[in-house]
Amino acid sequence: MRPLIVFCDVSVDGFMAGPDNDLGFTVDDPRLLDELTGELRSVADTIIWGRKSFTPSGAYWTAADGELADWMNATPKVVLSSDSGFDVSPWANSTLAAGDGVDQVRRLKDSAGGSLVVFGGVRTVRSHVAADLVDEYWLKFNPAIVGHGGSMFADVPHPRSLTLRTARTYPSGTVALIYRPQVPAGTSS
């Protein structure tokens, strides 16, 4: 079974996005990004996007340069959407997976390949967390308190214990933590 990784920025108080999906609290830390995404690129071979985050992400990465941009553009992308007519063609190597996103990811996890990584958005991540599909949480805690907004853990049906795999601190004040659920994803505790 392919592992599912959630990779995202969060505020100290646990929000992926502030009010109106504001991401202004995130800190640009090139060293953190190079280290963490370098590790991610060595294990993940498929990127999962929600429909709402796909379009702005595609516009950004297709215009960007560098190793990470090259990987983002070359890596197969699966876009989850209930809209079967959603156009994914502006970003190369993208495929639409229409229908229930949780079911689509379950099918992907059962297929051959490396790790799957979900970069966003909030609703997409939240649905996979609630369905116990996440095998690792790669969280970049930014030195900011948002107060309210989009939480990835808002729909968690029951408590889950996590095991810390790695912790890294950076001069920017950002902390990168990688956690694994103590009970493998998809099994009951």
Side-chain angles (χ1 to χ4, degrees), residues 9-61:
D9 281 281
V10 292
S11 61
V12 170
D13 53 345
F15 293 100
M16 285 179 62
D20 300 319
N21 285 319
D22 176 36
L23 300 175
F25 68 90
T26 61
V27 173
D28 183 28
D29 191 322
R31 185 176 138 214
L32 178 152
L33 199 58
D34 285 346
E35 287 179 10
L36 215 51
T37 60
E39 187 177 337
L40 182 70
R41 292 189 316 257
S42 72
V43 297
D45 66 3
T46 304
I47 302 169
I48 298 171
W49 293 100
R51 179 186 55 81
K52 288 183 180 178
S53 60
F54 172 78
T55 301
S57 297
Y60 175 82
W61 289 110

Side-chain angles (χ1 to χ4, degrees), residues 2 44-48 71 75-78 108 114-118:
R2 299 170 77 178
D45 66 3
T46 304
I47 302 169
I48 298 171
W71 181 80
T75 301
K77 291 162 279 295
V78 176
L108 285 168
S115 295
L116 306 163
V117 61
V118 179

